[in-house]
Amino acid sequence: MRAAMTRIRFRGAAVAAASVAMAVVLTACGGDDGSGTEQKQPKASASENQKTPDAVESSASSEVLASVKGPGDIELVVNSAERNAGGFVTVKGSVTNGSKQQFGAQGWQGDEQEMVGNGASVAGASLVDQAGKKRYLTLRDTDGRCLCTKFTTGIAPGATSPFFVQFPAPPADTTEVDFQIPTMPTATIKISG
């Protein structure tokens, strides 16, 4: 009996040693193809990363589709409005707080019941198709949260913060819409894609 237990322990130790050796070999093999340059894994797309709206940054673009100034020295710049394959439009840009006070995006979150809990955000934004006589509201997830940027701490005086907001896509032949957000003037923008 004692000899059988010794054999089982020896086999267990041998399996453990083999596992460690295999792990070392596999680790040593990854990342070097022998050419002296390390192989890099492709980066995950934004949809694979599943970033929260707060973490999503506006794409750096020198193109300005529209720029409007509202009360309190708040400036909103729209850099892109892209039609996406999933049947929605993503609007990206930036908000600059030119005042000497913290900007909490008061009124920008909209007044619909589903919006409770969204806090400071651009959830109250909409796209208006003048020709089609239709208004498109910000998309929401199944919990009623906007598919948009949330300004969790507001925007500090003198700071600029990127934003994004997603809407259902207007018909394919609609290329120009009005971007509206409470307290700000209307901005006419062109949809690409």
Side-chain angles (χ1 to χ4, degrees), residues 1 50 73 152:
M1 178 77 167
Q50 295 298 311
D73 291 325
T152 53

Side-chain angles (χ1 to χ4, degrees), residues 78-126:
V78 177
N79 297 110
S80 68
E82 294 183 16
R83 190 179 299 273
N84 304 102
F88 56 93
V89 170
T90 302
V91 176
K92 294 180 182 179
S94 62
V95 180
T96 300
N97 179 2
S99 76
K100 295 183 185 331
Q101 299 176 5
Q102 186 81 358
F103 176 66
Q106 294 82 1
W108 286 24
Q109 69 274 12
D111 57 2
E112 299 146 31
Q113 291 298 326
E114 301 88 29
M115 314 257 292
V116 174
N118 277 328
S121 68
V122 291
S126 62

Side-chain angles (χ1 to χ4, degrees), residues 155-170:
I155 302 173
T160 298
S161 182
F163 79 89
F164 86 98
V165 59
Q166 293 182 325
F167 304 95

Side-chain angles (χ1 to χ4, degrees), residues 59-191:
S59 61
S61 172
S62 59
E63 182 177 12
V64 174
L65 298 181
S67 176
V68 293
K69 286 193 176 188
D73 291 325
I74 301 302
E75 181 179 13
L76 181 129
V77 174
V78 177
N79 297 110
S80 68
E82 294 183 16
R83 190 179 299 273
N84 304 102
F88 56 93
V89 170
T90 302
V91 176
K92 294 180 182 179
S94 62
V95 180
T96 300
N97 179 2
S99 76
K100 295 183 185 331
Q101 299 176 5
Q102 186 81 358
F103 176 66
Q106 294 82 1
W108 286 24
Q109 69 274 12
D111 57 2
E112 299 146 31
Q113 291 298 326
E114 301 88 29
M115 314 257 292
V116 174
N118 277 328
S121 68
V122 291
S126 62
L127 291 182
V128 177
D129 174 3
Q130 296 286 352
K133 298 182 180 6
K134 194 161 185 181
R135 177 183 299 272
Y136 298 90
L137 302 178
T138 304
L139 289 171
R140 310 267 187 263
D141 67 14
T142 55
D143 293 323
R145 293 182 298 250
C146 74
L147 299 181
C148 68
T149 298
K150 295 174 186 71
F151 304 111
T152 53
T153 59
I155 302 173
T160 298
S161 182
F163 79 89
F164 86 98
V165 59
Q166 293 182 325
F167 304 95
D173 59 347
T174 300
T175 58
E176 192 171 274
V177 292
D178 290 338
F179 179 74
Q180 296 180 339
I181 193 158
T183 76
M184 299 296 285
T186 298
T188 302
I189 58 176
K190 290 192 180 293
I191 298 174

